[in-house]
Amino acid sequence: MSTVPVIAIDGPSGSGKGTVAARVADQLGFGLLDSGALYRVLGIAAVKNGVDLENHGRLAELAQQLEIEFGKSGPGSVWLDGQDVSLQIRTDTGSELASRVGAIPAAREALHARQQAFRSEPGLVADGRDMGSVIFPDSCLKIFLTASPEERAQRRYKQLIGKGIDAILPALLRDLKERDLRDSQRPISPLKPAEDAVVLDTNDLSIDEVVEQVMDLARARLAG
Ligand code: C5P
């Protein structure tokens, strides 16, 4: 088993895990795996290549062949087959496709090894739904971030409006609840905290406060 330390940060969409994971990775000088981006890219790639999401065999093949590059045109940027898809994967369609792809066991299986390949010295911060429970069960620290659906929808609303994108709060809340339901009820890797995860409720915490708490826990675990 690898001795490279992994910090797993899981939780539902809008829990802040992406931002927290990026900042913790930065402070520790660790690599970053945004596993949701892989599911998003796979969904977009399936549409681009005319692969039916019901054709699980072809989808798994596609997952193994995808040419994905992270960080090519700045932090958080994602490229697929030589094209910048950073914005496209974050659209509502990208979210919807990712959630559908994520419910397909063959797709999860095909992405399993690809995710583990991100583990390299001096360490990795991995964010997603099943980082602590399935992909890196030997993580030295497992965090599960939560917040109420209303709070998460509100955060997404502010984010979109801040970017000048029109948004309707009740519609965001409805979509988010639908996605939560699908993510938590699927038979494979459902969204739930690993047994040994530290669950942090972020409803009343700022991002800075969450990062601080995670960093305190990380420093203690890495020293031990
Ligand atoms: O984290 P993010 O919102 O980018 O993830 C998009 C979708 O991808 C999630 O709703 C979930 O269905 C799927 N996903 C997953 N397992 C992961 C990461 C994401 O099933 N580890």
Side-chain angles (χ1 to χ4, degrees):
M1 202 164 264
S2 173
T3 53
V4 176
V6 176
I7 294 174
I9 305 186
D10 291 304
S13 54
S15 59
K17 65 189 156 47
T19 311
V20 172
R23 285 187 37 191
V24 168
D26 194 45
Q27 289 192 30
L28 292 171
F30 281 13
L32 178 68
L33 165 61
D34 169 3
S35 63
L38 291 178
Y39 286 92
R40 288 171 183 272
V41 169
L42 180 55
I44 298 283
V47 172
K48 270 199 179 137
N49 289 279
V51 174
D52 186 341
L53 294 192
E54 294 305 316
N55 187 342
H56 296 177
R58 273 292 291 126
L59 195 63
E61 254 172 49
L62 186 65
Q64 276 153 0
Q65 292 160 358
L66 290 180
E67 296 264 348
I68 308 177
E69 293 164 281
F70 284 101
K72 197 172 164 172
S73 51
S77 65
V78 184
W79 287 55
L80 165 66
D81 296 332
Q83 280 185 329
D84 190 345
V85 291
S86 316
L87 294 178
Q88 200 185 349
I89 63 167
R90 303 288 165 203
T91 58
D92 288 344
T93 308
S95 304
E96 172 70 21
L97 285 167
S99 170
R100 288 175 58 196
V101 163
I104 299 169
R108 303 200 74 84
E109 191 51 43
L111 290 178
H112 196 119
R114 278 194 95 127
Q115 294 173 83
Q116 288 182 330
F118 278 80
R119 188 174 195 165
S120 64
E121 294 288 357
L124 179 71
V125 178
D127 104 58
R129 302 290 189 289
D130 60 346
M131 298 296 99
S133 54
V134 177
I135 307 295
F136 303 109
D138 61 337
S139 299
C140 65
L141 174 62
K142 300 176 187 178
I143 301 282
F144 193 89
L145 297 182
T146 62
S148 68
E150 288 72 19
E151 170 66 22
R152 290 185 284 123
Q154 186 72 43
R155 287 177 190 171
R156 174 92 179 126
Y157 179 76
K158 279 192 195 149
Q159 200 181 39
L160 290 172
I161 297 295
K163 283 185 193 162
I165 301 171
D166 272 346
I168 302 164
L169 188 56
L172 288 177
L173 180 61
R174 191 198 56 221
D175 291 353
L176 186 138
K177 282 183 170 169
E178 264 174 29
R179 201 139 68 90
D180 274 6
L181 198 69
R182 184 159 46 212
D183 287 354
S184 56
Q185 291 197 337
R186 66 185 178 211
I188 182 167
S189 298
L191 174 67
K192 70 168 191 309
E195 271 175 23
D196 48 351
V198 178
V199 179
L200 281 183
D201 181 340
T202 70
N203 262 344
D204 300 315
L205 296 176
S206 68
I207 285 284
D208 284 347
E209 287 168 327
V210 179
V211 171
E212 210 176 292
Q213 288 198 21
V214 175
M215 280 303 296
D216 284 349
L217 289 162
R219 283 194 202 96
R221 296 285 170 98
L222 291 168

